[in-house]
């Protein structure tokens, strides 16, 4: 009986082992369901478009509206005309203590992305021939090449020359990695590559005037910007003392090539301007609102060339408005006021009568304040771009007035001076029953309220069906718009000595901002500094400011770390209601106090090593052929 039982058990076990072996063999032959092979991907047009969309979404930017945590938005405060006023007090202190910019502040060296793009370019024909027509394959390869060129532009403007890798680098598992180690190309070679790539593909991209996918004019816009950067570096790097170069040309472009690059930038800009496909936005008779809409409006906006778009579905929105809306306007969100523009920026906008933009706060003899009936009156008559970029005290937004008041100025007849009183809380009243501190501040010490006296308007969603109580927004991030082509053309023409052309391209931008007649430029009045001022006014918070200062080689002078340099310090403006009974000319009016922003900790200090970011030691260890950047 025992023998029979034993034999039965052994027979059963044998069956189990056979079944298990068979199952194991079948299991090992199964394809994982979570991985799509290259060959399978190129059989499905939806997957192909999904891959393309993923790569567009991976295009780098310092200030794009993509990060719910706000890390990119802090960059707006760190190197545009603003400071950080958001989140906790500890965070606020740290973000505004920029003693200097680190050597790797702007570092970008993403060859994972380059590898993915090279792979896609090669696989279009390798696997896509049975699924896609020749025209479709040509189009896709051109779009991938555009994204790759943009990636190289973002790297070269930070690092200088980087290795130009345009095909897959495949390891042979020999134990020798040296075939994969490529030296840095010359800085000029990378810019030349970007320009030649755009020339090669611009007529292969049949996307019409799509703003979320590259088209011919997107390619020309990238060429315009890249060639202008190369020209500026070639011309102005040589004027630095010492100039920033490396013996192999990895950093530094020969000055002899400046005019060549300026001409290429001018030609590319003019081709976009003269295409007839785009026009400067001029749909709103209110010039300030018009400028705000030129960036925000998604309907019939022919100024925008290329954007990172966000959809009305909840799946792809962003929290920029949530984190940056004026404190008094926030609804059920628990954040606001993160990036707050500086008084420096506000005063950089000219007055429409052509005079400089410093606000009139004191009388001619500097013996008394100037008194204004309304808190917004001091801002009257300025460049309309200020109104479209910044929310200032008393500015209209979302159907209301954004009132700002820091406190009251109480007249002391005995001392013949004012005592300034400020409340510990927002939205509080003074003993006369009238306002002490506004719900939007400004305030010296509270987090998530403006510390400068101003809020962002540009990119802030005012609703109209595109947001959920200010929390989620689909306002797009603009990479290129037509006004840049005008100003690029103006700068390039001026540097080439063609001042007549420069005037032709700069004046339409000034006219839209409200300037007329004698306050438009002529060949006799246009200057390099005036052109540069237009870039600052037009593109505040659009990821231009720091790169313009770098390519003009003046960042070390503008942000020189000196407390005595007004450009290196962030200033604020605090409005106060006057308490002076019996003086009808002053009582109840508003005066303004200009000061260093109370939470701004140290002057910005940009040094020569910041013109090119430092390569991390791990990169040098992996590739000994990489040469470190100067001063690092």
């Amino acid at each position: 009986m025992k023998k029979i039982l034993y034999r039965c058990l052994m027979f059963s076990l044998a069956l189990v082992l056979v079944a298990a072996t068979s199952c194991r063999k079948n299991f090992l032959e199964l394809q994982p369901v979570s991985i799509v092979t290259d060959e399978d991907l190129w059989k499905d047009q939806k997957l192909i478009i999904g891959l393309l969309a993923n790569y567009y979404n991976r295009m780098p930017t310092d200030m794009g509206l993509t990060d719910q945590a706000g890390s990119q938005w802090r960059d707006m405060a760190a190197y545009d005309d603003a400071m950080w006023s958001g989140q906790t007090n500890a965070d606020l202190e740290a973000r505004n203590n920029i003693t200097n910019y680190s050597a790797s502040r702007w570092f970008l060296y993403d060859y994972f992305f380059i590898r993915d793009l090279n792979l896609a370019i090669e696989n279009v024909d390798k696997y896509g021939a049975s699924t896609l027509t020749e025209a479709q394959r040509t189009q896709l390869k051109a779009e991938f090449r555009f994204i790759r060129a943009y990636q190289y532009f973002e790297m070269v403007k930070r690092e200088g020359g980087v290795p130009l890798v345009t095909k897959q680098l495949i390891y042979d598992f020999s134990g020798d990695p040296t075939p994969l180690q490529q030296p840095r190309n010359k800085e000029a070679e990378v810019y030349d590559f970007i320009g030649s790539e755009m020339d090669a593909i611009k007529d292969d991209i049949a996307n019409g005037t799509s703003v979320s996918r590259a088209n011919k004019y997107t390619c020309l816009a990238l060429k315009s910007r890249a060639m202008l950067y190369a020209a500026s570096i070639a011309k102005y790097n040589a004027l630095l003392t010492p100039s920033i170069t490396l013996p192999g040309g990895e950093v530094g472009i020969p000055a002899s090539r400046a005019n060549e690059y300026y001409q290429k930038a001018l030609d590319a800009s003019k081709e976009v301007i003269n295409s007839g496909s785009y026009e400067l936005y001029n749909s709103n008779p209110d010039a300030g609102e018009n400028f705000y809409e030129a960036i925000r409006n998604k309907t019939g906006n022919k100024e925008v060339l290329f954007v990172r778009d966000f959809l009305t579905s909840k799946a792809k929105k962003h929290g920029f408005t949530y984190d940056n809306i004026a404190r008094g306007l926030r609804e059920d969100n628990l954040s606001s006021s993160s990036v707050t523009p500086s008084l420096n920026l506000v005063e950089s906008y000219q007055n429409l009568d052509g005079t400089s933009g410093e606000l009139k706060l004191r009388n001619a003899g500097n013996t008394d304040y100037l008194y204004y009936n309304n808190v917004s009156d001091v801002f009257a008559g300025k460049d309309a771009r200020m109104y479209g970029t910044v929310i200032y005290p008393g500015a209209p937004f979302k159907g209301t007035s954004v009132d700002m008041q820091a406190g009251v100025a109480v007249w002391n007849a005995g001392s013949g001076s004012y005592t300034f009183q400020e409340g510990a809380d927002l939205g509080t009243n003074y003993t006369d029953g009238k306002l002490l501190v506004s719900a939007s501040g400004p305030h010296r010490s509270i987090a998530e309220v403006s510390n400068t006296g101003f809020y962002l308007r540009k990119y802030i969603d005012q609703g109209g069906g595109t947001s959920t109580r200010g929390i989620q927004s689909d306002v797009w991030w603009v990479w290129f718009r037509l006004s840049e082509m005008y100003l690029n053309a103006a700068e390039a023409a001026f540097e080439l000595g063609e001042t007549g052309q420069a005037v032709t391209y700069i004046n339409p931008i000034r006219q839209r901002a409200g300037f007329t007649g004698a306050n438009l430029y002529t060949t006799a009045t246009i200057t390099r500094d005036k052109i540069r001022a237009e870039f600052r006014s037009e593109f505040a918070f659009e990821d231009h400011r720091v790169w313009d200062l770098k390519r003009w080689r003046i960042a070390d002078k503008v942000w020189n770390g000196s407390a005595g340099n007004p450009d290196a310090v962030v200033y604020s403006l605090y409005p106060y209601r006057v308490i002076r009974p019996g003086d009808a000319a002053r009582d109840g009016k508003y005066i303004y106090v200009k000061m260093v922003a109370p939470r701004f900790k140290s002057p910005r200090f940009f040094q020569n090593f910041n013109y090119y970011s430092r390569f991390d030691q791990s990169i040098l260890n992996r590739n000994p052929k990489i040469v470190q950047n100067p001063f690092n």
Side-chain angles (χ1 to χ4, degrees), residues 89-150:
N89 280 331
D91 182 67
L92 195 153
E93 297 286 341
R95 294 290 169 187
N96 296 305
N97 189 18
I98 307 174
T99 304
N100 55 61
Y101 294 102
S102 72
S104 56
R105 178 88 192 197
W106 294 278
F107 183 74
L108 178 66
Y109 197 71
D110 189 356
Y111 279 88
F112 292 105
F113 194 20
I114 293 295
R115 181 264 180 193
D116 288 347
L117 289 162
N118 287 339
L119 178 63
I121 292 166
E122 294 171 22
N123 283 348
V124 169
D125 288 328
K126 183 177 180 180
Y127 295 117
S130 62
T131 306
L132 303 168
T133 65
E134 182 178 352
Q136 289 173 322
R137 296 198 305 275
T138 299
Q139 163 90 16
L140 281 169
K141 285 185 290 186
E143 289 190 72
F144 288 132
R145 288 171 70 180
F146 167 80
I147 297 169
R148 183 178 64 182
Y150 188 90

Side-chain angles (χ1 to χ4, degrees), residues 2 21 79 89 109 147 213 295 298 391 441 449 465-466 470 499 505 533 559 561 591 612 615 628:
K2 289 182 179 180
T21 302
Y79 45 86
N89 280 331
Y109 197 71
I147 297 169
R213 291 177 65 174
I295 285 86
K298 289 186 174 185
I391 293 177
V449 63
T466 62
T499 54
Y505 292 116
W559 297 332
I591 60 174
Y612 295 96
F615 284 89
Q628 183 60 277

Side-chain angles (χ1 to χ4, degrees), residues 565-592:
N565 174 13
D567 291 323
V569 175
V570 169
Y571 286 91
S572 63
L573 186 71
Y574 279 29
Y576 294 87
R577 179 170 61 88
V578 173
I579 308 294
R580 196 164 176 174
D583 188 334
R586 295 177 175 86
D587 186 49
K589 304 294 178 67
Y590 292 93
I591 60 174
Y592 306 84

Side-chain angles (χ1 to χ4, degrees), residues 109-120 122 148 152 162-173 176-185 622-623 625-626:
Y109 197 71
D110 189 356
Y111 279 88
F112 292 105
F113 194 20
I114 293 295
R115 181 264 180 193
D116 288 347
L117 289 162
N118 287 339
L119 178 63
E122 294 171 22
R148 183 178 64 182
Y152 273 116
V162 293
L164 276 173
V165 181
T166 58
K167 294 183 179 180
Q168 289 188 78
L169 298 178
I170 301 175
Y171 181 51
D172 61 6
F173 295 96
D176 179 13
T178 54
L180 305 179
Q181 296 170 346
Q182 294 196 16
R184 297 172 63 180
N185 282 76
R622 290 194 299 267
N623 185 359
K625 295 178 183 177
I626 297 294

Side-chain angles (χ1 to χ4, degrees), residues 486-563:
Y486 274 88
L487 290 183
N488 287 358
E491 180 179 341
F494 182 87
E495 296 290 359
L496 289 167
E498 300 176 12
T499 54
Q501 282 201 72
V503 167
T504 297
Y505 292 116
I506 201 170
N507 277 341
I509 304 302
R510 287 182 63 77
Q511 284 175 314
R512 183 172 68 170
F515 293 96
T516 58
N519 296 311
L520 298 174
Y521 293 137
T522 67
T523 56
T525 60
I526 193 170
T527 66
R528 179 177 293 111
D529 286 342
K530 289 176 179 177
I531 294 171
R532 291 178 176 181
E534 292 298 310
F535 276 87
R536 185 181 188 183
S537 297
E538 184 77 14
F539 301 118
F541 309 113
E542 293 184 54
D543 200 11
H544 284 257
R545 180 63 175 162
V546 69
W547 307 112
D548 286 338
L549 295 179
K550 288 178 75 170
R551 68 183 177 87
W552 294 326
R553 293 301 194 250
I554 60 174
D556 63 305
K557 300 172 182 63
V558 174
W559 297 332
N560 66 358
S562 171

